[in-house]
């Protein structure tokens, strides 16, 4: 089954404790991206990747890191999480560019 | 001015009515336009995309694009309670920008 998976789905952590949210797709898509969704603000792009080893900042990259060492994986790293990073995070992938994106199930993060 | 703006909700329509969702965008160079549906607690899923001025129909859904007015809309005919969700407009120019979403409630 073609899908985008994210782990964990739910995470409660404390300020400053490094964490990684994994994202994997099995559709051989070149384009992958991370979004956060907050009430009243919609989906905002954090980082995106056009291909392996090619990443770029989206609209709200501060406090986040990404890497794209393999085509199928695009982990999101929070080196020192803060409460303002409490949000719902979505990973997405598409064949190329940003068209027709397929979203993962989401990761709900709470930073205390 | 927001780059992509949707009409504020929630929008409530009776079952069987036409629901009209609107979206305006600021980048005149935008070329691709998308409508995603997001059920509560779920991830967004693509329901329509449109690239050219005019109407595009898919079942009960019609997307309308007017590039001169920088306006894209989604019409849902014969609305059903299962259409109750948040609808996200997304516009691609140099990058893909999402609107804040419009919550639709279809009352039986």
């Amino acid at each position: 089954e073609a899908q985008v998976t994210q782990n964990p789905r739910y995470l409660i952590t404390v300020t400053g404790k490094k964490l990684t949210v994994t994202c994997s797709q099995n559709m051989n898509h070149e384009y992958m991206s991370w979004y956060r969704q907050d009430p009243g603000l919609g989906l905002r792009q954090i980082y995106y990747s056009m291909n392996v080893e090619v990443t770029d900042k989206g609209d709200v990259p501060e406090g986040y890191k990404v890497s794209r060492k393999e085509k199928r994986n695009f982990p999101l790293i929070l080196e020192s999480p803060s409460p303002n990073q409490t949000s719902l995070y979505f990973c997405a992938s598409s064949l190329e560019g940003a068209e027709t994106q397929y979203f993962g199930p989401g990761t709900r993060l709470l930073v205390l | 001015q927001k780059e992509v703006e949707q009409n504020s909700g929630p929008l409530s329509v009776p079952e069987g009515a036409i629901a009209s969702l609107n979206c305006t965008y600021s980048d005149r160079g935008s070329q691709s336009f998308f409508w995603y549906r997001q059920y509560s607690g779920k991830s967004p899923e693509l329901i329509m995309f449109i690239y050219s001025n005019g109407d595009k129909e898919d079942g009960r859904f019609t997307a309308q694009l007017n590039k001169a007015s920088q306006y894209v809309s989604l019409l849902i005919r014969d609305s059903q309670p299962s259409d109750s969700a948040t609808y996200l407009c997304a516009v691609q120019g140099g990058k893909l920008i999402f609107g804040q979403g419009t919550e639709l409630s279809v009352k039986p």
Side-chain angles (χ1 to χ4, degrees):
Chain A
E1 180 190 353
Q3 60 182 351
V4 179
T5 57
Q6 294 178 228
N7 281 292
R9 295 289 313 280
Y10 304 92
L11 180 60
I12 301 175
T13 189
V14 295
T15 299
K17 186 176 181 181
K18 181 179 179 180
L19 65 91
T20 299
V21 183
T22 65
C23 172
S24 182
Q25 51 92 6
N26 63 0
M27 295 170 278
N28 202 36
H29 285 169
E30 292 189 348
Y31 183 96
M32 297 185 74
S33 62
W34 275 103
Y35 295 89
R36 61 178 290 174
Q37 187 173 37
D38 303 288
L41 297 178
L43 280 165
R44 293 180 293 168
Q45 192 176 54
I46 303 170
Y47 269 94
Y48 64 95
S49 171
M50 301 293 284
N51 213 326
V52 176
E53 302 291 1
V54 181
T55 63
D56 210 345
K57 296 177 181 178
D59 293 320
V60 288
E62 294 78 20
Y64 304 95
K65 285 177 58 177
V66 293
S67 67
R68 187 93 181 272
K69 292 182 170 49
E70 305 167 279
K71 197 171 188 178
R72 62 183 294 131
N73 296 324
F74 190 45
L76 180 69
I77 303 159
L78 284 72
E79 295 269 2
S80 183
S82 62
N84 64 13
Q85 293 179 296
T86 291
S87 187
L88 177 59
Y89 292 86
F90 288 103
C91 179
S93 73
S94 62
L95 191 58
E96 60 180 41
E99 300 187 358
T100 316
Q101 295 193 74
Y102 297 85
F103 285 83
T107 296
R108 195 168 290 278
L109 172 65
L110 173 61
V111 183
L112 301 174
Chain B
Q1 180 190 5
K2 292 182 182 178
E3 292 179 87
V4 177
E5 194 151 6
Q6 298 183 237
N7 49 335
S8 58
L11 176 66
S12 182
V13 300
E15 184 175 356
I18 296 175
S20 177
L21 302 160
N22 303 315
C23 176
T24 58
Y25 59 95
S26 60
D27 182 1
R28 281 198 171 273
S30 299
Q31 298 179 349
S32 306
F33 306 85
F34 306 88
W35 283 100
Y36 285 81
R37 177 178 60 200
Q38 186 176 23
Y39 292 114
S40 181
K42 302 295 185 182
S43 56
E45 56 178 337
L46 182 73
I47 53 173
M48 291 283 289
F49 62 86
I50 186 167
Y51 303 139
S52 305
N53 274 331
D55 296 357
K56 179 180 179 181
E57 188 174 316
D58 184 2
R60 295 186 296 111
F61 298 93
T62 299
Q64 299 175 316
L65 175 61
N66 184 326
K67 289 187 178 181
S69 300
Q70 295 174 244
Y71 176 94
V72 58
S73 66
L74 179 70
L75 301 178
I76 306 175
R77 290 184 301 281
D78 187 24
S79 295
Q80 301 296 309
S82 59
D83 294 325
S84 298
T86 295
Y87 290 80
L88 302 170
C89 170
V91 175
Q92 185 182 1
K95 53 184 177 179
L96 185 67
I97 305 291
F98 283 83
Q100 78 275 25
T102 299
E103 183 182 348
L104 172 66
S105 177
V106 181
K107 304 294 187 184

